[in-house]
Amino acid sequence: MRELGIGIVGCGSMGRSLANAAQAVGGRVIAGADPAEEARAKFAEQFKVPALASVEQLLGNDRVHAVMVASPNYLHSQHTLAAARAGRHVFCEKPMALRVADCDRMIAECEKAGVKLMVGQVLRYLPDLWRVLQIVHAGEMGKPHAAAIERLWGTEGQIWRIPWRAQKELSGGWLYEVNVHEVDYLCQLLGEPRQAYGVTAKFIQSHHDIEDFAVATFRFEGGRVGVLQGGSCSPLGRYEVAVFCEGGDLFLDRSTGVIRHRKAGGEVKEEPTSESNVEPPVQREVREFVEAVREGKPVTIPGQDGRRAIAMIEAAYRSAASG
């Protein structure tokens, strides 16, 4: 395929980010689609391509070979299915969907149509978190047996300025909208999940109807344990990652960008992740998708990975609801 024509579904900030990345790696943005007139106008002005009012119009263009879905969470499944049925390859932003059953339909339709399906889980590629994976996977501290991630911020964040994100029915809740990143990342550290436990609460009065504090604990294969704490009840904010291995441990404070790790009996090592020279994360995931389509090779973050994260979150919410 000499030129990969790409259509963007959802012309908001994430859609524009994907479009920029696609152009940077040799894809050609053919058009965008969004029901919001303001978003369409901004997209059309920036990329000098048509911005259409419906996904159907976008899929009617034969020059569109692949679609990048950056619409609101509750529409990911609908738009992916439409693209697959039209024979288009799909890059779907996180969360893949809001129900495991929808993920299954998305995977099945893409397989039936013979098209690629990749899910955007960009956290894997952020320089500091990518470096943590490098250190752990090098094996010098032995196999990881537990990990803990804490990601908190306040209710005043920009995320709430977009109305659909503040509605649980449309965004899915905090774990879907935000912590699906960390759920996927725990799998990169610890492997395949087996059980989930969850607790959620809403402590602060706010205009949104989703929880502002959530704790999820996951059991992974081999008895490994992953703990996630997230929410929007902290004006101070905090984002830290800890990994405990057989022969050492590692801590990352994302506010300072410093990784500290130590093998048992050894010296503490510190490294600033600002020194990590990596490809821009969104550009990297888009490049990997474009290369998979062009070269006919497997995608790097397949639908099964996206489904796994949704299954973990769905189970954690069931646990929280049932006690």
Side-chain angles (χ1 to χ4, degrees), residues 68-118:
M68 293 187 164
V69 176
S71 50
N73 298 350
Y74 70 101
L75 293 172
H76 286 183
S77 175
Q78 174 184 325
H79 291 155
T80 296
L81 292 175
R85 289 164 182 163
R88 303 319 201 268
H89 302 283
V90 183
F91 178 98
C92 180
E93 255 306 318
K94 66 82 195 167
M96 182 175 172
L98 299 182
R99 286 173 292 275
V100 171
D102 287 333
C103 295
D104 288 337
R105 280 189 283 271
M106 294 160 74
I107 292 169
E109 285 292 337
C110 287
E111 289 179 348
K112 180 180 177 181
V115 298
K116 308 285 185 185
L117 172 59
M118 180 163 165

Side-chain angles (χ1 to χ4, degrees), residues 16 18 56 59 61 63 65-66 69 84-85 91 93 111 128 130 133 142 153 162 184 212 296:
R16 296 194 300 274
L18 292 173
E56 290 73 24
L59 295 174
N61 189 328
R63 295 173 62 208
H65 309 124
V69 176
R85 289 164 182 163
F91 178 98
E93 255 306 318
E111 289 179 348
D128 53 355
W130 170 81
L133 291 176
W153 63 42
I162 300 175
D184 173 76
D212 55 31

